[in-house]
Amino acid sequence: ANKEDGRKGHFWEDRFQAQRLMDILAILVCVAYVDLNLIRAAMASSLVGSNFTSIQARILGSQNQMAPSLALGKVSICDVQATENIKDLSKAEIRRRIEAARKQADPRMVLKDAWIAKLTIDANQSVNPNDSHLSKSGLRASDRGFLDVTLEQYIKILYESLRYRPGNASLQEPSEELMEVSKTLGVAPENIRWMISDYKRIFRRSCRVGNPESVRKETQRRGRKWTKYSRHSELFYSQKSVEFDVENGRFRRAKIRVSTSESSGKSTAS
């Protein structure tokens, strides 16, 4: 790509980084942050106009819009089986088989969100982490959802987070959808909005994002003395709101502000 553009250096702005999302809140704020990237960068004016994002595919899929797919008729398999199937094949042979499958495939129309992971967790499905719920359609890896919200709730949370500006009184009252999520996860709604709108700054140095206690337990389970995670997790994973200390350039617990009104009265004696 650099050769085509006549340039040198890193093709991407930042180096590769992988973060492990430890709980539902971490998944929610990370996925929401990514879905809002194009709007935040002024490359799109709406969610449905955010090309190549999962939220665009979900909205169009909910409107029964279709797209061609070559995946129909295939069966999802686990990583172990997939590795076993190709471990003795050369890269050239793998490419040849892929190209042959594409030429022989008969493209059919499917919903535009049929290939991405389901959003909403199905209450009737097993919660066992070892149960991957492999997709029966072959269009996606798994039929298991990953968030405990509906698409309508998720969209409202996205737009609310997009308008949110810490310290701005224009959007102080959280929506019912966000309040419900906040109550379920045990985190202040302002903190959720802030994590979505400023995810990169809050968690950019983290290898793991999640509840601090969960991160510590996972570190101990892996036999390590420490792990690289954001100290901000201690602040944001709380029912207490967070504010930014401009003078020190740090996040901190929001101070409780009590407004008092002075009243004066006159008394007369006779």
Side-chain angles (χ1 to χ4, degrees):
N2 279 350
K3 186 176 181 180
E4 292 178 357
D5 295 340
R7 54 171 292 175
K8 297 180 180 180
H10 301 309
F11 180 71
W12 303 109
E13 178 183 357
D14 295 325
R15 302 305 300 272
F16 171 79
Q17 181 183 16
Q19 292 179 318
R20 183 172 182 181
L21 306 177
M22 303 292 295
D23 50 46
I24 289 182
L25 178 56
I27 296 174
L28 170 62
V29 297
C30 182
V31 172
Y33 174 80
V34 173
D35 277 335
L36 291 174
N37 265 341
L38 291 185
I39 298 180
R40 193 181 297 108
M43 297 174 66
S45 58
S46 64
L47 294 177
V48 73
S50 299
N51 294 331
F52 312 112
T53 61
S54 61
I55 187 59
Q56 182 194 51
R58 296 187 196 283
I59 293 174
L60 296 179
S62 68
Q63 298 171 353
N64 295 322
Q65 294 197 30
M66 312 291 282
S69 173
L70 299 176
L72 286 175
K74 299 185 182 299
V75 178
S76 298
I77 58 177
C78 65
D79 294 342
V80 176
Q81 185 178 346
T83 303
E84 186 69 24
N85 291 347
I86 65 172
K87 69 177 184 179
D88 296 326
L89 300 179
S90 65
K91 291 183 179 180
E93 176 61 17
I94 293 175
R95 292 195 193 97
R96 188 194 67 78
R97 292 190 180 188
I98 292 174
E99 290 301 324
R102 286 175 177 170
K103 292 178 181 179
Q104 296 174 4
D106 180 21
R108 300 181 185 180
M109 302 301 289
V110 298
L111 290 174
K112 286 202 169 185
D113 64 338
W115 60 277
I116 57 178
K118 284 187 175 181
L119 179 73
T120 307
I121 296 174
D122 189 344
N124 297 322
Q125 288 182 338
S126 166
V127 295
N128 187 337
N130 296 322
D131 190 351
S132 58
H133 299 285
L134 292 176
S135 175
K136 297 178 181 179
S137 66
L139 295 174
R140 55 167 64 99
S142 172
D143 287 330
R144 184 178 185 176
F146 59 92
L147 289 178
D148 196 16
V149 295
T150 64
L151 178 60
E152 292 74 17
Q153 290 174 323
Y154 180 63
I155 291 174
K156 288 184 179 180
I157 291 174
L158 286 180
Y159 275 121
E160 184 174 346
S161 301
L162 192 64
R163 298 193 306 270
Y164 179 66
R165 295 293 181 274
N168 191 334
S170 62
L171 186 60
Q172 292 298 327
E173 291 298 325
S175 63
E176 294 181 3
E177 289 76 16
L178 187 58
M179 284 298 296
E180 184 177 342
V181 172
S182 169
K183 184 177 180 180
T184 302
L185 299 178
V187 177
E190 295 82 4
N191 295 355
I192 297 177
R193 292 187 296 199
W194 203 338
M195 283 190 281
I196 293 175
S197 63
D198 210 5
Y199 179 91
K200 187 174 182 180
R201 179 167 64 154
I202 296 172
F203 298 113
R204 69 180 183 274
R205 300 184 183 278
S206 303
C207 293
R208 293 180 175 84
V209 178
N211 183 292
E213 185 61 29
S214 300
V215 173
R216 282 191 286 267
K217 288 182 178 179
E218 176 64 13
T219 303
Q220 294 173 358
R221 187 188 70 81
R222 295 170 64 88
R224 297 184 178 182
K225 295 183 179 179
W226 66 280
T227 188
K228 190 176 181 181
Y229 83 101
S230 175
R231 58 185 174 80
H232 298 144
S233 296
E234 300 278 358
L235 295 173
F236 283 93
Y237 270 74
S238 170
Q239 286 280 16
K240 298 180 180 179
S241 300
V242 177
E243 65 181 11
F244 188 73
D245 186 350
V246 179
E247 293 183 2
N248 297 319
R250 295 180 179 180
F251 292 102
R252 67 183 182 189
R253 294 258 188 251
K255 296 181 179 179
I256 299 177
R257 296 176 175 82
V258 180
S259 59
T260 58
S261 58
E262 296 182 359
S263 59
S264 59
K266 294 183 179 180
S267 59
T268 58
S270 59

